[in-house]
Amino acid sequence: YGCLFTSVTWTLLLFLYFTLSQESQPFKYVPVPGGQSFSYQRRFQPRFTRGPGPPPPPEDPPREQPHRAPAQGRKAADLSPEMGMIFNEQDQEIRDMGYHKHAFNVLISNRLGYHRDLPDTRNEKCKEKVYPLALPSASVVICFFNEAFSALLRTVHSVLDRTPAYLLHEIILVDDNSELADLKEELDTYMRQNLPAKVKLVRNEKREGLIRGRVIGASHATGEVLVFLDSHCEVNEMWLQPLLTPIKEDRRTVVCPVIDIISADTLVYSPSPIVRGGFNWGLHFKWDPVPLSELRSPEGSIAPIRSPTMAGGLFAMERKYFNDLGQYDSGMDIWGGENLEISFRIWMCGGQLLIIPCSRVGHIFRKRRPYGSPGGQDTMAHNSLRLAHVWMDEYKEQYFALRPELRTRSYGDISERLAVRKRLQCRSFKWYLDTIYPEMQVSAPHNKAQQPVFVNKALRRPKVLQRGRLRNLHVDKCLVAQGRPSQKGGVVVVKSCDLNDPEQEWVYDEEHELILAGLLCLDMSEIRSSDPPRLMKCHGSGGSQQWTLGKSNRLYQVSVGQCLAVVDPLSHKGYVAMAICDGSQSQQWQLQE
Ligand code: UD2
Ligand code: MN
């Protein structure tokens, strides 16, 4: 039975997925004649000019770029991979500092500017839906700590650009005592000169963390509905009305948009499949497939979906209800756990939590969090402990079975939170599990197998585009593993080509991966672009393993914005490295049978 259920769910998910992919409208990439600059159709214009250095013309075909966002697997809207091209040392520095400070490609973010068109990722049926004109007004609250200026401003402008003015009561920015000096000044100046008065700024005198930060933001708000966003989001077409409508119908409804994915490496915006929120007994949030029971309503795939939990960053809730329901646990620090806490509280205390498929907001998903907590503490554990002790009754044992060292850890005073639970006469955690999240496996805490939802490696067989030897035309040698091609982390070098050696065979697939001997992918660390490329397990999410092999014989790495070059053509060591693309001989490669 379980098996049947899983396969049916999967089929459905894939179907949904497909339907969605048909509807996304990729950008068209239009090379400008002469090849000296490039632009995109629709409003989008990259705001940068080429610096010194030989400009490599964007000659590669405007084919859809494969892009896989974290734990997700589908084709993305096209945005030239050359957006990240490095032309000079200044570009390199912006890029390296950006990854260091923000963990995403700030060079591309800056080049995109503060406004850009997005692919409309909604299901077609959403476009026919009509929403009431009279809706509650919204206060959008955005907390930030050390955010990249261009990402923050794109968040703000996307809201201003895509929200009817009469529904947007205000935007409240909460600067959580950011440490970046220029961010503060730049923002002050920009706000004074360019932003309307309804964009307000609150500054915390000390670092509070996103949880108390949101409570502070909410306390300044005067609109009817609070909408929380992270500081690196972009809202899409008609994002707000579908969120406000269910709140207007029932004030105890809390709603989340579908969180579309903005790649941290390429800034490409791509749709997420429709999934809902769950968690595991380590108290980490995870995405789950939507159970069939939720898809049976007459509206089918665009109907609101009841979700056991929310991811945390993006949701809307009536302001008074937020206060009545006990805001957040202000004993939680910096980051983590508050999303499960508010989710449990909503369901257990008489509300409901819905994901609204017709509302789409993109978020930059980073591979690591670029900041710590001021004292270096593990705030996730601290916050999860508070959550477990207040809300999970006897089921907190499931958590302790996985984290026995936390059993005796202190978690501060929770009496105020217990009083909230009592005042609101909330139900038990058992009720929540039985009624809202029956998919959750209880008894066996040793059963840690929580499969990620989107990535099913078995289903992933990207089409092979080309196969053969990767020959450097200048030295007339082939790219091979320095050691064994099966060795993870091994570097590559050029050696004499051997047509009979299967260990010299590369496959170039539609995901733009380069796979050696059918084993490992050519991978380029995004953090240290001075490191040479290595052979790593194929992860299927583009970025560090995404290469373009164009007619110019250039082997371009999307993630670092550079080209593969033979280091010293005269030496027989055969070292290769990434270098600024200059069209030189040592950067000429051909993949041939
Ligand atoms: C996810 C949520 C995030 C939050 C977190 C759990 C989404 C898309 N994001 O992690 O909103 O619920 O899970 O806690 O669902 N910030 C501060 N002060 C700090 C630290 C962060 O203001 O001390 C800001 C930060 O600039 C950002 C927001 O809080 O705008 C969320 O932080 P994040 O983006 O690092 O969290 P994320 O997306 O990894
Ligand atoms: Mn975030």
Side-chain angles (χ1 to χ4, degrees):
Y1 246 119
C3 241
L4 185 72
F5 179 76
T6 321
S7 50
V8 168
T9 316
W10 258 108
T11 320
L12 220 103
L13 217 80
L14 282 170
F15 169 73
L16 266 175
Y17 203 95
F18 241 151
T19 327
L20 272 163
S21 72
Q22 308 283 306
E23 285 154 11
S24 66
Q25 285 191 351
F27 282 105
K28 291 275 155 37
Y29 169 63
V30 187
V32 168
Q36 281 308 301
S37 74
F38 45 106
S39 69
Y40 300 82
Q41 272 181 359
R42 302 163 75 184
R43 260 190 297 133
F44 171 61
Q45 288 288 333
R47 280 144 213 243
F48 67 100
T49 44
R50 288 234 155 94
E59 84 298 26
D60 292 349
R63 143 178 79 195
E64 196 183 69
Q65 288 308 312
H67 164 77
R68 275 157 163 262
Q72 195 257 13
R74 25 174 293 95
K75 289 268 151 36
D78 191 17
L79 184 150
S80 165
E82 319 224 344
M83 219 35 210
M85 183 82 73
I86 286 160
F87 297 111
N88 51 40
E89 278 167 21
Q90 200 191 346
D91 290 348
Q92 188 72 61
E93 192 182 318
I94 293 172
R95 190 183 179 287
D96 292 349
M97 279 312 280
Y99 267 107
H100 177 68
K101 285 196 215 151
H102 306 290
F104 65 89
N105 196 325
V106 172
L107 180 66
I108 299 184
S109 177
N110 293 353
R111 285 172 176 177
L112 284 173
Y114 307 151
H115 310 259
R116 70 159 157 169
D117 265 6
L118 298 175
D120 186 343
T121 51
R122 294 171 300 162
N123 184 303
E124 284 302 323
K125 282 191 234 154
C126 295
K127 299 175 189 168
E128 289 152 22
K129 272 196 77 127
V130 196
Y131 299 95
L133 270 180
L135 285 169
S137 65
S139 294
V140 176
V141 176
I142 302 167
C143 291
F144 65 95
F145 174 71
N146 286 359
E147 187 57 85
F149 191 68
S150 55
L152 176 64
L153 264 291
R154 221 171 21 255
T155 310
V156 172
H157 278 296
S158 77
V159 172
L160 292 170
D161 293 347
R162 298 202 180 88
T163 313
Y166 82 101
L167 291 179
L168 184 63
H169 185 73
E170 62 197 343
I171 298 177
I172 297 179
L173 302 175
V174 182
D175 180 349
D176 193 14
N177 202 232
S178 295
E179 292 153 346
L180 304 175
D182 359 342
L183 173 62
K184 199 165 183 272
E185 274 171 36
E186 245 183 311
L187 186 59
D188 280 336
T189 315
Y190 191 87
M191 284 191 61
R192 228 184 6 257
Q193 296 176 352
N194 301 294
L195 291 177
K198 63 162 84 169
V199 183
K200 295 156 193 168
L201 176 64
V202 180
R203 281 209 163 106
N204 292 343
E205 281 181 9
K206 64 176 181 32
R207 175 95 176 273
E208 299 287 354
L210 71 95
I211 301 153
R212 290 192 291 274
R214 284 186 196 153
V215 174
I216 292 167
S219 74
H220 287 84
T222 49
E224 289 160 272
V225 168
L226 295 167
V227 182
F228 294 99
L229 296 178
D230 277 7
S231 47
H232 33 256
C233 290
E234 284 167 74
V235 304
N236 210 324
E237 255 359 276
M238 272 292 269
W239 71 291
L240 186 60
Q241 293 90 325
L243 296 178
L244 297 177
T245 304
I247 295 176
K248 184 189 170 170
E249 284 163 13
D250 174 2
R251 67 180 291 266
R252 291 190 303 179
T253 297
V254 179
V255 288
C256 304
V258 173
I259 308 177
D260 281 342
I261 294 155
I262 303 174
S263 160
D265 298 319
T266 61
L267 276 286
V268 167
Y269 184 109
S270 55
S272 286
I274 308 286
V275 285
R276 64 176 199 170
F279 66 96
N280 60 31
W281 287 120
L283 300 186
H284 291 282
F285 172 84
K286 67 182 178 91
W287 295 108
D288 284 337
V290 180
L292 286 176
S293 53
E294 283 295 314
L295 293 169
R296 264 198 220 114
S297 87
E299 273 191 299
S301 55
I302 64 161
I305 292 157
R306 287 150 43 101
S307 185
T309 69
M310 66 162 90
L314 288 53
F315 68 98
M317 183 171 184
E318 195 202 69
R319 184 167 57 84
K320 290 211 177 70
Y321 185 51
F322 177 75
N323 291 328
D324 293 348
L325 201 70
Q327 302 171 337
Y328 272 121
D329 176 356
S330 60
M332 288 188 173
D333 298 322
I334 307 296
W335 186 96
E338 93 294 342
N339 53 330
L340 298 190
E341 194 267 347
I342 199 169
S343 305
F344 297 166
R345 186 151 45 88
I346 290 164
W347 283 116
M348 289 165 66
C349 311
Q352 62 170 342
L353 177 60
L354 305 178
I355 290 174
I356 310 296
C358 288
S359 171
R360 297 267 175 167
V361 178
H363 169 259
I364 302 180
F365 284 92
R366 299 163 299 196
K367 291 187 192 82
R368 65 180 175 92
R369 225 170 321 126
Y371 54 81
S373 64
Q377 318 89 329
D378 176 2
T379 62
M380 177 76 188
H382 170 83
N383 298 349
S384 299
L385 269 176
R386 292 181 66 87
L387 151 79
H389 285 290
V390 175
W391 296 101
M392 290 173 61
D393 306 330
E394 67 274 25
Y395 293 88
K396 66 185 170 210
E397 286 306 319
Q398 301 275 330
Y399 178 51
F400 290 131
L402 293 174
R403 303 288 307 269
E405 77 285 5
L406 294 179
R407 206 180 278 276
T408 51
R409 171 93 66 93
S410 63
Y411 46 85
D413 181 6
I414 54 168
S415 53
E416 186 262 339
R417 300 314 285 174
L418 291 171
V420 167
R421 187 169 169 179
K422 196 158 172 208
R423 166 170 67 80
L424 297 170
Q425 302 181 346
C426 308
R427 297 184 210 252
S428 69
F429 199 68
K430 181 174 189 325
W431 173 88
Y432 167 82
L433 287 178
D434 290 347
T435 324
I436 307 303
Y437 200 25
E439 295 81 10
M440 185 62 158
Q441 302 281 316
V442 180
S443 61
H446 51 272
N447 178 10
K448 277 193 260 170
Q450 301 278 7
Q451 292 298 321
V453 190
F454 307 122
V455 186
N456 186 332
K457 293 281 176 195
L459 288 177
R460 200 181 86 80
R461 286 210 193 83
K463 218 167 68 212
V464 173
L465 298 180
Q466 255 175 291
R467 94 176 47 232
R469 260 131 276 274
L470 199 49
R471 187 189 297 266
N472 182 281
L473 300 181
H474 187 44
V475 298
D476 195 28
K477 287 182 177 172
C478 287
L479 193 69
V480 298
Q482 190 183 41
R484 310 244 25 105
S486 56
Q487 189 198 331
K488 253 182 251 161
V491 298
V492 285
V493 291
V494 286
K495 280 192 188 150
S496 314
C497 300
D498 178 353
L499 286 173
N500 297 317
D501 185 356
E503 294 195 349
Q504 292 198 355
E505 194 187 58
W506 292 90
V507 157
Y508 184 56
D509 68 20
E510 59 177 350
E511 303 288 350
H512 290 202
E513 291 162 327
L514 276 168
I515 306 163
L516 181 58
L519 296 164
L520 297 171
C521 277
L522 194 62
D523 183 294
M524 188 55 215
S525 158
E526 287 118 13
I527 304 153
R528 273 173 305 168
S529 44
S530 52
D531 278 7
R534 292 174 186 282
L535 292 164
M536 304 295 278
K537 209 172 143 182
C538 303
H539 55 49
S541 41
S544 68
Q545 297 182 351
Q546 190 176 336
W547 302 79
T548 63
L549 194 52
K551 286 200 198 79
S552 65
N553 296 329
R554 188 165 74 198
L555 190 49
Y556 175 73
Q557 214 297 316
V558 174
S559 209
V560 295
Q562 297 183 343
C563 288
L564 188 71
V566 171
V567 177
D568 180 2
L570 295 176
S571 132
H572 18 240
K573 295 215 174 91
Y575 290 142
V576 298
M578 301 312 298
I580 290 179
C581 304
D582 58 9
S584 67
Q585 288 288 315
S586 63
Q587 298 188 359
Q588 307 272 305
W589 300 87
Q590 236 169 39
L591 186 60
Q592 315 162 315
E593 290 288 325

